[in-house]
Amino acid sequence: IFFTLRVNYNKINQMKLIGTYIIAAVMLAAGTALKAQSVDEIMAKHEQAIGGLENWNKIKTLKMTGDMDIQGAKIAITQTLDVGHAARTDMSVMGMSGFTIITSKAGWMYMPMQGGTKVDTMTPDMVQAGQRQLDIMGTQLLDYKTSGGKAEYQGKDTLDNIPCYKIKFTDKDGNESESFFEIATSYLLRTESKVKQDEEESEVAVVYSDYKKLDEGVVMPMSMTAAGAEINFKSVEINKPLDPNVFVPAISK
């Protein structure tokens, strides 16, 4: 009888233990589902706040002009984008003009303000990093799912006393970044990512601000800060015809 009772007692304990595991597994699954749902909800609100996928999908070309402030030095800047194909950034300071060009296959730069005398070909790492700007929706993380990425909710945080949602993104190549979305507006305020250049990896943070709604229905940040440089855009042209020669790496004479 004692043996039978002990077996039954052990079975009862075993059943309780199994039950505990089942409850824990259910709670874990529920927690995962809630986190996934939270990410989807956060990103859906962000998408709606900046104009929706339909309006962003209509953008085929983009030209933004403004200035860049680096430690008090003002640099005129123009960014030209043929979505999915090529991007060019022109800079002018102290009578010197330079540019960077990124295409889906290669990249070039001409920087006389840094002592450059000819057009240099970018390294593969620089090209890969620069090609991210060809995906206009990617800059606002609107298409991370369709491009093979995934997102993980990291909880709440604050930026300059502004309550934010923090989300970790991993793209199809395994590159990780963390982004902060303002809870009140659903705008993207900051992205932190690692960039590899010349075999060295460094962390780069980009801060977005001064969001403006354009006539095309999209809402874009007109100010961006990264690595001590602040860019303020004054004008934006969307879907204007572009001269293909803009993306040819030639020095103007």
Side-chain angles (χ1 to χ4, degrees):
I1 296 174
F2 174 75
F3 177 77
T4 303
L5 288 175
R6 188 172 63 178
V7 169
N8 290 337
Y9 179 74
N10 288 338
K11 285 185 178 181
I12 291 172
N13 280 343
Q14 186 178 30
M15 292 301 294
K16 286 183 178 180
L17 187 60
I18 293 173
T20 301
Y21 284 146
I22 292 174
I23 293 172
V26 170
M27 291 179 66
L28 180 61
T32 303
L34 286 172
K35 285 187 176 181
Q37 185 180 14
S38 296
V39 170
D40 289 342
E41 289 176 351
I42 292 168
M43 296 309 296
K45 290 180 179 179
H46 170 61
E47 176 189 319
Q48 183 179 11
I50 60 174
L53 282 180
E54 183 177 355
N55 286 329
W56 279 82
N57 275 321
K58 292 178 182 177
I59 301 177
K60 305 304 178 184
T61 67
L62 180 69
K63 186 175 182 180
M64 304 178 74
T65 59
D67 55 61
M68 179 167 55
D69 189 324
I70 302 179
Q71 297 180 346
K74 289 286 186 180
I75 301 174
I77 184 170
T78 299
Q79 291 189 342
T80 307
L81 175 65
D82 181 4
V83 177
H85 302 289
R88 174 174 178 138
T89 299
D90 288 278
M91 291 159 282
S92 179
V93 61
M94 296 184 294
M96 294 180 287
S97 297
F99 63 79
T100 64
I101 296 175
I102 293 284
T103 70
S104 57
K105 296 181 180 179
W108 305 268
M109 63 168 58
Y110 172 58
M111 291 291 162
M113 58 280 288
Q114 295 180 351
T117 58
K118 61 183 180 63
V119 176
D120 293 319
T121 301
M122 292 185 182
T123 64
D125 286 338
M126 293 174 68
V127 173
Q128 184 179 18
Q131 285 173 338
R132 296 174 187 175
Q133 63 186 302
L134 303 184
D135 175 17
I136 189 171
M137 291 195 297
T139 59
Q140 285 291 309
L141 302 165
L142 290 176
D143 62 347
Y144 73 94
K145 283 186 177 180
T146 57
S147 61
K150 60 181 181 180
E152 180 183 353
Y153 179 60
Q154 299 283 292
K156 295 181 180 180
D157 207 330
T158 57
L159 288 177
D160 296 328
N161 295 320
I162 299 175
C164 298
Y165 292 120
K166 183 178 179 181
I167 297 179
K168 176 183 176 181
F169 292 91
T170 305
D171 67 16
K172 61 181 178 62
D173 297 318
N175 299 308
E176 297 179 349
S177 63
E178 292 182 335
S179 295
F180 300 79
F181 297 84
E182 183 178 2
I183 294 176
T185 64
S186 293
Y187 291 158
L188 173 63
L189 298 188
R190 179 184 176 98
T191 293
E192 300 173 354
S193 57
K194 292 182 179 179
V195 177
K196 187 177 181 181
Q197 183 175 347
D198 297 331
E199 301 302 324
E200 293 185 1
E201 193 174 66
S202 58
E203 191 169 284
V204 176
V206 181
V207 177
Y208 304 91
S209 60
D210 190 22
Y211 277 83
K212 179 181 179 181
K213 186 173 184 178
L214 305 178
D215 293 338
E216 291 77 9
V218 296
V219 180
M220 291 185 176
M222 302 300 287
S223 180
M224 290 178 283
T225 303
E230 180 180 355
I231 301 176
N232 292 292
F233 292 108
K234 300 175 182 178
S235 67
V236 181
E237 296 179 2
I238 295 177
N239 291 336
K240 302 292 185 181
L242 298 177
D243 181 354
N245 290 324
V246 168
F247 304 109
V248 176
I251 302 175
S252 301
K253 295 183 179 179

